[in-house]
Amino acid sequence: MTLVLRTTDRTTESAPPLPVLPAGTDPLLQLQYETQPADGPAVTRCVGHPCELTFGGIPARCSACRARRDWLLINHRRNVWIRCRCGNQWLEPEISRADFDALIGGPDGTSYPSVEAAMIALGFDGVFAGIYLE
């Protein structure tokens, strides 16, 4: 998977491929292996954040549509990006990986094959521009 951001023309490294179990392995073990959530420093994670975000007392606003809440936070390695429903996205250096980890409530979550698939499924691909969903 290659993560391409609108704010830069650099791409990040792709995640290493998952190891393949040998043919003839127990189907239940294969299913258990395939359904484990991806983990590690190279994994890209997303979490919705419906509330306002403030940095040093200043509320975050989308520079494209002026939205103040209902964000998608995307974490890859040490970086966190904020994405608006209108499709605008920017790197936010004020949010650390530890801050992002604190926002994730538990191990439950939905896995998507790519960040693009997650953005479409969660409505952050620009289709719901100008709409607050709660």
Side-chain angles (χ1 to χ4, degrees):
M1 172 185 75
T2 303
L3 179 65
V4 180
L5 304 173
R6 288 185 176 187
T7 56
T8 65
D9 31 326
R10 290 181 274 151
T11 59
T12 61
E13 302 168 5
S14 61
L18 295 173
V20 178
L21 292 175
T25 306
D26 181 13
L28 291 177
L29 291 176
Q30 181 74 24
L31 179 64
Q32 181 183 9
Y33 171 78
E34 290 174 356
T35 56
Q36 287 179 346
D39 195 15
V43 172
T44 302
R45 302 175 299 163
C46 301
V47 65
H49 190 74
C51 303
E52 290 185 3
L53 291 170
T54 58
F55 306 107
I58 301 171
R61 282 191 169 248
C62 175
S63 61
C65 71
R66 309 301 295 161
R68 296 180 324 237
R69 59 184 173 96
D70 201 13
W71 310 110
L72 179 67
L73 303 178
I74 304 167
N75 169 237
H76 183 74
R77 298 192 187 274
R78 295 184 330 185
N79 298 316
V80 177
W81 288 268
I82 299 177
R83 186 169 179 94
C84 181
R85 290 236 179 243
C86 73
N88 187 30
Q89 176 175 309
W90 65 94
L91 176 65
E92 185 51 66
E94 295 289 325
I95 303 175
S96 68
R97 184 180 173 112
D99 296 333
F100 184 88
D101 290 341
L103 290 173
I104 297 177
D108 300 333
T110 304
S111 296
Y112 298 97
S114 67
V115 174
E116 293 79 17
M119 285 189 257
I120 292 169
L122 298 172
F124 284 91
D125 58 343
V127 173
F128 294 113
I131 299 174
Y132 286 125
L133 301 178
E134 288 190 65

